[in-house]
């Protein structure tokens, strides 16, 4: 492919292709996979309701060579899902190709935590280093329209969020949204206010309300369920509401 043809393809994909949302945070356990799957579920359900699908309009993709999304998908009754899922296992090129499919509207990409960064990389240099995961991450970062950075009230996730934003997203000019996850309603407002204050002091855009911590989410992951399939209960409604707000915030940010 000549560079001229390639850029024509890029232009076409940009105009009609799906919007790509990367869920990224250096630290493990902040909720990247949970957010990917449940955001895809609520967004996919609304596109089903609008009769907007042949192949599902929403795709949850995982680039992790370890395949955490794959583990989850193994437990899911596929026909029950309002979205497609795709596991690239770190293969570069799959997402770039998919971007040319105009039937797809949103691709939400789960990424692995990246602990193997180059601590000595010069400010402004890419600290992702050389590895299969790094190459896969760079591909998604090149394509992404928006990044979601999950953070928890637990301060251990704050520095890695800052690193992700300052060293990975800002140099690439990728718009981002910080999302507070795992807020335990029983902890009350002080814990939540502290993390909100930290985010706001850094001038980072954030989703106004947090995604609350409910046991139902952790159990769901084991059973391959998403928020749209939780058995009706007050908690299930609140859990779903959190992801509906996230979907709305994401759509407004795109
Ligand atoms: N809002 C929530 N309420 C309850 N449990 C949650 C919530 N979000 C995530 N969890 C649980 O916390 C754990 C970590 O979440 P998850 O696997 O989504 O994080 P991750 O960022 O993808 O981690 P990794 O970097 O290791 O892939 C999982 O057991 C998940 O079920
Ligand atoms: Mg994960």
């Amino acid at each position: 492919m000549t560079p001229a043809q390639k850029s024509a393809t890029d232009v076409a994909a940009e105009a009609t292709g799906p919007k790509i949302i990367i869920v990224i945070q250096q630290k493990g356990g902040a909720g990247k996979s949970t957010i990917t799957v449940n955001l895809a579920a609520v967004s996919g359900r609304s596109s089903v309701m609008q009769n907007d699908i042949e192949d599902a309009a929403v795709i949850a993709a995982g680039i992790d060579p370890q395949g955490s999304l794959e583990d989850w998908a193994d437990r899911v009754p596929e026909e029950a899902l309002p979205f497609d899922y795709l596991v690239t296992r770190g293969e570069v090129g799959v997402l770039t190709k998919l971007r040319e499919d105009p039937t797809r509207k949103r691709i939400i990409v789960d990424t692995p935590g990246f602990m193997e960064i180059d601590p000595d990389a010069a400010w402004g240099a890419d600290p992702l280093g050389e590895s299969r995961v790094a190459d896969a991450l760079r591909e998604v970062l090149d394509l992404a329209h928006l990044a979601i950075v999950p953070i928890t009230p637990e301060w251990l996730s704050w520095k890695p969020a800052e690193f992700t934003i300052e060293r990975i997203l800002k140099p690439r000019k990728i718009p981002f949204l910080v999302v507070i996850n795992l807020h335990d309603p029983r902890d009350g407002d002080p814990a939540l206010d502290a993390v909100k204050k930290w985010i706001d002091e850094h001038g980072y855009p954030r989703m106004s309300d947090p995604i609350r911590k409910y046991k139902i989410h952790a159990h769901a992951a084991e059973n391959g369920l998403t928020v749209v399939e939780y058995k009706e209960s007050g908690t299930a409604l609140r859990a779903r509401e959190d992801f509906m707000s996230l979907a709305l915030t994401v759509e407004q940010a795109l």
Side-chain angles (χ1 to χ4, degrees), residues 101-232:
D101 181 347
T103 62
R104 313 297 193 166
K105 300 299 176 208
R106 301 285 178 267
I107 303 176
I108 304 157
V109 186
D110 184 24
T111 63
F114 44 96
M115 296 322 283
E116 285 190 29
I117 45 166
D118 178 0
D120 301 322
W123 187 260
D126 182 351
L128 289 172
E130 300 303 323
S131 67
R132 196 177 159 93
V133 178
D135 288 344
L137 264 175
R138 275 190 282 264
E139 183 193 12
V140 193
L141 288 164
D142 282 348
L143 300 173
H145 296 92
L146 179 72
I148 295 175
V149 182
I151 193 169
T152 68
E154 166 82 40
W155 66 269
L156 278 173
S157 72
W158 301 1
K159 277 277 162 204
E162 186 177 4
F163 182 91
T164 306
I165 291 166
E166 299 294 338
R167 302 294 304 274
I168 310 288
L169 300 174
K170 280 191 178 173
R172 292 175 166 84
K173 302 192 168 49
I174 300 171
F176 62 91
L177 184 66
V178 177
V179 173
I180 303 167
N181 182 32
L182 284 161
H183 165 59
D184 192 333
R186 290 170 304 186
D187 289 346
D189 289 339
L192 184 59
D193 289 345
V195 63
K196 282 184 175 170
K197 182 162 173 267
W198 183 88
I199 300 167
D200 295 347
E201 279 174 358
H202 282 72
Y204 299 154
R206 65 168 166 86
M207 176 164 131
S208 49
D209 293 319
I211 295 175
R212 289 165 287 190
K213 177 178 181 175
Y214 291 124
K215 278 205 190 86
I216 196 170
H217 286 309
H219 293 156
E222 284 161 29
N223 301 320
L225 292 178
T226 65
V227 273
V228 300
E229 296 144 326
Y230 291 177
K231 198 161 151 282
E232 285 306 329

Side-chain angles (χ1 to χ4, degrees), residues 25-26 36 44 57 63 87 126 155 209 221 230 244 251:
Q25 148 73 293
Q26 183 193 2
T36 301
I63 60 164
V87 182
D126 182 351
W155 66 269
D209 293 319
Y230 291 177
M244 302 285 250
E251 288 305 310

